[in-house]
Amino acid sequence: MRITYFKRMMLCLLAVALTGCAAAPAQPETQPTAAAVETVAAEPAEPGPRYQVAWAADAVIYEVNVRQYPREGTFAAFAQHLPTLKDMGINTLWFMPIHPISETKRSGTLGSYYSITDYREVNPEFGTAEDFKALVEEAHAMGFTVMLDWVANHTGWDCPWIREHPDWYTKDENGNISDPVGMGWPDVADLDYSNQEMRAEMIACMKYWVEEYDIDGFRCDYASGVPQGFWEAARAELETVKPLLMLAEDNTLPSLLRYAFDMNYNWELYDTLREIATDRKTGYFVRNHIPRDYPDGTYRLNFLNNHDKNSWEYTILEAFGSEPLPSMWALIYTLPGTPLVYTGDEIGLDHKIAFMERDPIDWESGTRDYRPLLKKLSAIRSENTALHSGNYGGGIEYADLGNRNVLAFTRQVAGNRVTCLFNLTKRETEVDVTGLFADGQTLLLHGQADQVLEMEDTPVTLDGTVTLQPWEFWIAADEG
């Protein structure tokens, strides 16, 4: 769902008032089971130790907009494009909500994906349940993992729960079911999480997709709009089936990462990179948004675009411009966290995709083919364990080169070291890089402005005082 910057800030202020935005507590030594965490717990449960599913270590997530990706807008048509995404280095598919969309109080012609009628069915606009199951099975056979977008804060107005369980919803002062207060979402009805039966059914619906469709994880919409205790109980129950990756659409409640979620949104990094690309901040400010104090094994989703940004604010080209984009892509693939690619990013789509209408992408209308770059970056991320996420990867150590436009850092684990150098400005920059790159490091990728200059493994030759070109970047590695 779309949450404006102002609303995110207000939510954060509320979080400060209620919790002090405190760092997550130390983790106990045992993993909680579903029995240990009440399925409908009203308050946060004692968290378990932080661990990660192994496949998430080098995940590159692609946000799939089924309605708009293939011209036909169906699961079956999208399946034909899996080889293209696989070749691009994508290994994780996040599907925007696939459920039927309510007609009552619908926004637009086709409605918002986030106005859900039935959590256990698929939107007939996209095909059948059998079509989706076949798509998941094909994706798994090709080595993809699959995540569903889960909308737990509210339902559409045609959801059977409204007539069968009106007590499951928030009421206004007149006793009528209300939309979420202050959010500007009249097409949805707000769920009341003080109702324990509703909580149990919501968890059962999530579990259905893991058991019946072998789903590998969830991206949870407006996660801070649902009690933390619910998410922790949900995770404990879901993982009686299989370990999952849990992504919170949130940046306001760090406590959600203590057990319920592995990853949250790096909205602040997006905003900072956009300001750098438009010459309003220096590269130094990137350091502010790579957290060192997250709960053990958790991390952030780094992105240059997503459905909210694209449909409601900026295209990727409007946000960053063509010249900075290669360096921005290189950054989000090498900084701690997990990179995200949104539908159309790979061709530099300079079009705001309609949210409530059919607006299929014209794959011939892109401004540039970034697929070779993303393929190379995905390979670099996969082959260099220092760049992996969470506990599987290395931390980050910055090198101070005396110029705030230049960002230089090293990430290292046993047997692998990656060194990166970025000139994050539209101006030439003279800087002394003596000693930055270790002897024997191999160049993995070199680019500048709107082009990639070198994509073959060669020895690093950069040393001493050099003049970096606008948006120039270097990525090198060795065995550490």
Side-chain angles (χ1 to χ4, degrees):
M1 294 289 286
R2 181 188 181 209
I3 304 178
T4 65
Y5 180 78
F6 174 76
K7 286 175 180 173
R8 292 203 309 271
M9 290 299 96
M10 294 305 295
L11 288 168
C12 188
L13 290 173
L14 178 61
V16 171
L18 295 177
T19 69
C21 286
Q27 309 299 301
E29 296 181 355
T30 57
Q31 169 70 29
T33 63
V37 181
E38 266 189 20
T39 302
V40 293
E43 298 299 329
E46 284 303 311
R50 177 54 53 191
Y51 71 96
Q52 294 173 256
V53 287
W55 61 261
D58 65 346
V60 178
I61 301 177
Y62 190 92
E63 183 184 1
V64 181
N65 187 330
V66 175
R67 179 183 285 169
Q68 318 297 10
Y69 186 109
R71 181 157 295 278
E72 303 86 344
T74 64
F75 298 131
F78 175 74
Q80 303 306 308
H81 296 268
L82 290 176
T84 299
L85 295 174
K86 185 71 175 178
D87 184 66
M88 197 169 78
I90 300 299
N91 53 26
T92 301
L93 303 172
W94 149 27
F95 286 90
M96 293 173 67
I98 62 167
H99 310 293
I101 296 171
S102 290
E103 296 183 12
T104 301
K105 299 188 181 183
R106 172 176 284 187
S107 296
T109 305
L110 297 177
S112 167
Y113 315 88
Y114 296 84
S115 177
I116 291 171
T117 296
D118 192 327
Y119 287 103
R120 294 177 189 248
E121 298 293 339
V122 303
N123 187 347
E125 174 191 346
F126 303 152
T128 66
E130 290 73 23
D131 291 337
F132 184 67
K133 181 168 284 190
L135 171 57
V136 173
E137 289 174 352
E138 184 173 355
H140 280 159
M142 294 178 65
F144 291 99
T145 47
V146 177
M147 300 177 67
L148 281 188
D149 206 327
W150 198 260
V151 186
N153 175 260
H154 48 264
T155 73
W157 290 95
D158 295 332
C159 181
W161 294 359
I162 286 182
R163 64 176 183 274
E164 296 171 2
H165 303 284
D167 56 318
W168 289 9
Y169 290 85
T170 303
K171 307 295 196 305
D172 63 20
E173 63 274 12
N174 297 316
N176 299 314
I177 295 174
S178 68
D179 55 56
V181 176
M183 301 307 295
W185 301 334
D187 58 335
V188 295
D190 192 49
L191 287 166
D192 180 1
Y193 271 81
S194 68
N195 189 293
Q196 306 305 303
E197 290 182 355
M198 184 276 291
R199 287 184 178 222
E201 178 58 21
M202 183 66 76
I203 292 173
C205 289
M206 297 178 76
K207 190 174 181 181
Y208 168 80
W209 291 94
V210 180
E211 291 181 326
E212 299 299 322
Y213 291 79
D214 200 20
I215 295 302
D216 303 296
F218 292 93
R219 177 267 188 191
C220 297
D221 184 66
Y222 187 26
S224 61
V226 174
Q228 180 178 328
F230 167 80
W231 291 124
E232 294 184 347
R235 181 165 198 162
E237 182 63 26
L238 294 173
E239 293 202 337
T240 63
V241 182
K242 63 186 288 190
L244 300 171
L245 178 67
M246 298 292 286
L247 165 62
E249 189 216 4
D250 178 66
N251 66 328
T252 64
L253 291 178
S255 60
L256 288 175
L257 296 172
R258 72 173 195 161
Y259 170 63
F261 292 98
D262 305 288
M263 179 168 43
N264 67 2
Y265 271 47
N266 205 339
W267 291 108
E268 300 90 345
L269 179 64
Y270 170 89
D271 292 336
T272 294
L273 293 181
R274 191 169 65 82
E275 290 178 301
I276 291 169
T278 52
D279 206 29
R280 290 179 291 159
K281 278 188 176 179
T282 66
Y284 184 87
F285 284 88
V286 169
R287 302 184 184 204
N288 296 342
H289 307 302
I290 304 302
R292 296 174 180 268
D293 57 351
Y294 263 35
D296 186 36
T298 66
Y299 43 96
R300 308 200 78 176
L301 181 73
N302 299 326
F303 53 88
L304 304 179
N305 200 11
N306 58 47
H307 69 265
D308 284 319
K309 288 297 181 183
N310 174 267
S311 291
W312 307 113
E313 297 186 50
Y314 313 99
T315 71
I316 195 169
L317 267 294
E318 289 172 340
F320 298 98
S322 62
E323 290 199 352
L325 260 181
S327 61
M328 296 296 168
W329 280 121
L331 259 180
I332 69 165
Y333 273 74
T334 53
L335 288 170
T338 292
L340 172 73
V341 181
Y342 177 51
T343 298
D345 286 351
E346 62 266 44
I347 59 169
L349 186 69
D350 196 15
H351 172 69
K352 291 182 179 179
I353 302 171
F355 203 72
M356 319 287 188
E357 316 291 338
R358 279 283 286 138
D359 187 18
I361 291 173
D362 177 0
W363 290 96
E364 302 302 317
S365 68
T367 60
R368 177 172 180 168
D369 186 0
Y370 289 100
R371 283 170 286 208
L373 172 61
L374 299 182
K375 179 178 182 177
K376 179 64 175 178
L377 287 169
S378 295
I380 290 171
R381 173 172 164 79
S382 176
E383 294 165 6
N384 290 274
T385 53
L387 299 181
H388 288 184
S389 300
N391 288 338
Y392 288 102
I396 187 167
E397 295 298 329
Y398 300 101
D400 186 359
L401 301 184
N403 189 305
R404 293 173 69 89
N405 285 316
V406 177
L407 182 71
F409 60 86
T410 296
R411 297 184 62 193
Q412 185 170 358
V413 295
N416 183 230
R417 173 172 51 189
V418 177
T419 302
C420 301
L421 173 67
F422 291 86
N423 182 34
L424 296 176
T425 175
K426 64 182 180 181
R427 290 170 285 276
E428 290 185 356
T429 304
E430 186 175 279
V431 66
D432 186 354
V433 297
T434 301
L436 176 64
F437 294 97
D439 291 341
Q441 279 198 308
T442 298
L443 177 63
L444 303 180
L445 191 60
H446 174 214
Q448 66 184 45
D450 61 351
Q451 59 185 314
V452 176
L453 303 176
E454 179 60 66
M455 298 181 70
E456 299 296 331
D457 294 349
T458 58
V460 177
T461 58
L462 204 64
D463 197 19
T465 299
V466 299
T467 299
L468 298 176
Q469 296 304 304
W471 308 110
E472 186 171 0
F473 64 91
W474 298 71
I475 303 173
D478 64 0
E479 294 181 354

Coordinates of all heavy atoms in Angstrom, one line a residue, residues 421 429-433 462-468:
L421 N 34.6 1.4 -4.8 CA 34.9 2.8 -4.9 C 33.8 3.5 -5.8 O 33.6 3.1 -6.9 CB 36.3 3.0 -5.4 CG 36.7 4.5 -5.7 CD1 36.9 5.3 -4.4 CD2 38.0 4.5 -6.5
T429 N 36.4 14.2 -9.9 CA 36.9 14.3 -8.5 C 38.2 13.7 -8.4 O 38.5 12.5 -8.8 CB 35.9 13.5 -7.6 OG1 34.6 14.0 -7.7 CG2 36.4 13.7 -6.1
E430 N 39.2 14.5 -7.9 CA 40.5 14.0 -7.7 C 40.6 13.4 -6.3 O 40.2 14.1 -5.3 CB 41.6 15.1 -7.9 CG 43.0 14.6 -7.8 CD 44.0 15.7 -8.2 OE1 44.2 16.0 -9.4 OE2 44.5 16.4 -7.2
V431 N 41.2 12.2 -6.1 CA 41.2 11.6 -4.8 C 42.4 10.7 -4.8 O 42.8 10.1 -5.8 CB 39.9 10.8 -4.6 CG1 39.7 9.7 -5.5 CG2 39.8 10.4 -3.1
D432 N 43.0 10.5 -3.6 CA 44.1 9.6 -3.4 C 43.6 8.2 -2.9 O 43.0 8.1 -1.9 CB 45.1 10.2 -2.4 CG 46.4 9.4 -2.2 OD1 46.5 8.3 -2.8 OD2 47.3 9.8 -1.5
V433 N 43.8 7.2 -3.8 CA 43.3 5.9 -3.4 C 44.4 4.9 -3.1 O 44.3 3.7 -3.1 CB 42.5 5.3 -4.6 CG1 41.3 6.1 -4.9 CG2 43.4 5.1 -5.9
L462 N 44.2 0.7 -10.3 CA 44.0 2.0 -9.7 C 44.8 2.2 -8.5 O 44.8 1.4 -7.5 CB 42.5 2.1 -9.4 CG 41.9 3.5 -9.3 CD1 42.0 4.2 -10.6 CD2 40.5 3.4 -8.8
D463 N 45.7 3.2 -8.5 CA 46.5 3.5 -7.3 C 47.0 4.9 -7.3 O 46.9 5.6 -8.4 CB 47.7 2.5 -7.3 CG 48.4 2.5 -5.9 OD1 47.7 2.8 -4.9 OD2 49.5 2.0 -5.8
G464 N 47.4 5.4 -6.2 CA 47.9 6.8 -6.1 C 46.7 7.8 -6.3 O 45.6 7.5 -6.0
T465 N 47.1 9.0 -6.7 CA 46.1 10.1 -6.9 C 45.5 9.9 -8.3 O 46.2 9.9 -9.3 CB 46.7 11.5 -6.7 OG1 47.3 11.6 -5.4 CG2 45.7 12.6 -7.0
V466 N 44.2 9.8 -8.3 CA 43.5 9.6 -9.6 C 42.4 10.6 -9.8 O 41.9 11.2 -8.8 CB 42.9 8.2 -9.7 CG1 44.0 7.1 -9.6 CG2 41.9 7.9 -8.6
T467 N 42.0 10.8 -11.0 CA 40.8 11.7 -11.3 C 39.6 10.7 -11.7 O 39.7 10.1 -12.7 CB 41.1 12.7 -12.4 OG1 42.2 13.5 -12.0 CG2 39.8 13.5 -12.7
L468 N 38.6 10.7 -10.8 CA 37.5 9.9 -11.1 C 36.5 10.7 -11.9 O 36.2 11.9 -11.7 CB 36.8 9.5 -9.8 CG 37.6 8.6 -8.8 CD1 36.9 8.4 -7.5 CD2 38.0 7.3 -9.5

